[in-house]
Amino acid sequence: TAKTVLSRYRACYQERGVAYDDFDKSINWFHASNGWVNIKTLDFEPQTPDRLSRRKSAVVYDKDAVCPLYDKFLDQQMQLEVDQVRVIDQFSGLLLTPDITKQKMLVLIGKPGCGKSTLLDLWSDVLGDMATQNSLHEIASESFRFRGDTLVGRTLCWFDEVEVTRSNVGNSLINLITGQQIRVERKGINGIIASQNQLKCVLTANTLPRSAEMGIYRRMILIYLNYSFYDNMTDNKNIRQLLRGEASGVLNRMIRGLHD
């Protein structure tokens, strides 16, 4: 049935959706679950066959939505400096776009219970299909060359590691951060297709290695999280569910971070 539907679509629109880069190619339009929002002008359009996309957000766009719990969590409870919060907001805004010109990876380092995974879980909840999670060991393996199709059209690649080794932060990671294209190679199909790389990488970990290859630290925006909710017995087991309820407001804050 799926093949029949696709064949009919292609017969009607032979010039559309031919290549990977025919999809999600506008830097200013974000695909929310209820339509398209222009993240520059905040104009909103309903779903339309004139705008092609392989991925969409999991959140409804509501220009009036707010996120008081998320504001308190990020601005106060994580006990970060004002400039650190500003950088986190700016980076979260970049996740709404295909822009990779900064060629930087956000790195959040802290002991368990410092809120780094909660923050990335929430961003993943907002981005939906646009987010993916991998391990550093996985991207360095030979089999990862067949995973290119799973990365096309995504804007967030999250690595959640306990301890990062020197071998984990090599050429494969740098290629994801700085590479202009993603190679799509499929088993049993000849030829390799190249698609525009839209990924922004985020690493959360307890520690980093003392040294690494290829000047990887130059590509990092490094933020240490010193406050632990676990150690101070202030952790909330339901925090992810509560923050997910504010997803539309979080999207608005991410857009403000992008404008900044």
Side-chain angles (χ1 to χ4, degrees):
T1 301
K3 289 180 178 179
T4 301
V5 171
L6 288 172
S7 296
R8 289 179 178 176
Y9 178 85
R10 288 168 178 156
C12 294
Y13 303 99
Q14 297 182 29
E15 76 286 357
R16 301 182 61 205
V18 176
Y20 281 113
D21 291 341
D22 290 340
F23 298 81
D24 303 295
K25 61 184 179 181
S26 176
I27 196 169
N28 291 325
W29 288 94
F30 177 75
H31 194 188
S33 65
N34 60 330
W36 292 86
V37 56
N38 188 307
I39 51 182
K40 186 175 182 179
T41 65
L42 302 186
D43 293 335
F44 182 79
E45 293 182 359
Q47 306 284 9
T48 168
D50 295 327
R51 199 179 300 280
L52 301 181
S53 178
R54 298 184 79 243
R55 316 282 183 193
K56 72 173 182 177
S57 165
V59 64
V60 170
Y61 175 68
D62 176 1
K63 65 182 179 62
D64 298 319
V66 294
C67 52
L69 291 177
Y70 179 64
D71 292 340
K72 184 177 181 180
F73 176 75
L74 184 56
D75 295 336
Q76 301 176 27
Q77 294 176 331
M78 292 185 72
Q79 299 191 13
L80 296 169
E81 299 293 334
V82 174
D83 61 334
Q84 292 177 317
V85 174
R86 184 181 181 188
V87 168
I88 289 173
D89 279 331
Q90 291 171 337
F91 198 92
S92 72
L94 274 180
L95 300 179
L96 307 178
T97 77
D99 182 14
I100 63 165
T101 57
K102 308 303 180 187
Q103 296 191 340
K104 296 287 188 178
M105 175 175 67
L106 179 65
V107 181
L108 304 178
I109 301 297
K111 63 176 66 175
C114 64
K116 56 186 185 296
S117 294
T118 299
L119 191 64
L120 267 297
D121 280 333
L122 177 60
W123 291 354
S124 298
D125 288 339
V126 171
L127 294 171
D129 292 342
M130 300 177 189
T132 184
Q133 187 171 358
N134 291 281
S135 70
L136 292 177
H137 175 74
E138 195 175 22
I139 67 168
S141 67
E142 175 64 22
S143 62
F144 194 75
R145 66 191 179 100
F146 296 113
R147 295 281 303 278
D149 181 65
T150 66
L151 303 179
V152 173
R154 300 188 192 270
T155 60
L156 168 62
C157 186
W158 172 25
F159 304 100
D160 187 20
E161 310 286 339
V162 176
E163 184 174 345
V164 181
T165 64
R166 179 176 177 177
S167 61
N168 290 150
V169 284
N171 289 337
S172 298
L173 179 58
I174 290 177
N175 288 339
L176 276 187
I177 299 171
T178 65
Q180 296 300 307
Q181 295 181 322
I182 292 175
R183 289 160 53 93
V184 180
E185 182 177 357
R186 293 172 290 178
K187 293 182 178 179
I189 299 178
N190 293 329
I192 297 175
I193 300 173
S195 177
Q196 179 189 359
N197 182 14
Q198 302 179 7
L199 288 171
K200 272 69 66 179
C201 296
V202 179
L203 169 63
T204 58
N206 296 349
T207 61
L208 281 178
R210 292 182 179 272
S211 62
E213 304 273 345
M214 302 288 291
I216 184 67
Y217 287 107
R218 187 167 62 89
R219 298 296 178 187
M220 293 181 177
I221 302 172
L222 185 57
I223 295 180
Y224 285 96
L225 310 179
N226 297 316
Y227 180 81
S228 172
F229 294 93
Y230 290 164
D231 291 351
N232 291 276
M233 294 183 288
T234 56
D235 58 307
N236 184 341
K237 303 298 184 184
N238 298 320
I239 186 65
R240 182 177 183 183
Q241 191 67 29
L242 293 172
L243 292 175
R244 185 184 294 168
E246 296 186 341
S248 294
V250 174
L251 173 59
N252 287 335
R253 176 160 176 166
M254 293 168 77
I255 293 174
R256 292 194 297 272
L258 177 65
H259 289 180
D260 186 36

